[in-house]
Amino acid sequence: MAGRHRLKGRRAEQALRRAVEVVDVRTFTTHALTHDALAAGRLPKGRYIALCGQDVLPASIAEP
C-alpha cells in the first residue's frame, strides 16, 4: 500500500522520480523519501520524514 503524498504537478513527478521507497514498520505502508531525507534521518534516532510529511520507522531488511 503506497502512502498518499501531497505534492502535485510537475514538481511532484520530479520529486517522486528521485525518491526511494521505504516501508514503515508500524503501518506497513510504503512511503517515498528523498536521498536528503535518508541522509538526515541516519543521525537523530533513525527518524525519517517522507515526502507526505509522515515520520517513517524503516522496516528491517530481514522482514519478509
Side-chain angles (χ1 to χ4, degrees), residues 42-57:
R42 286 186 186 163
L43 299 177
K45 300 180 184 176
R47 180 178 175 206
Y48 298 89
I49 306 296
L51 288 174
C52 61
Q54 294 289 323
D55 286 341
V56 177
L57 179 62

Side-chain angles (χ1 to χ4, degrees), residues 2 6 8 10 14-15 18 20 24 26 28 31-32 34 36 38 46-49 56-58 62 64:
R6 295 185 190 123
K8 298 200 185 269
R10 188 173 193 190
Q14 291 173 347
R18 293 188 309 257
V20 176
D24 185 357
R26 296 170 290 199
F28 297 106
H31 291 279
T34 63
D36 292 338
L38 287 171
R47 180 178 175 206
Y48 298 89
I49 306 296
V56 177
L57 179 62

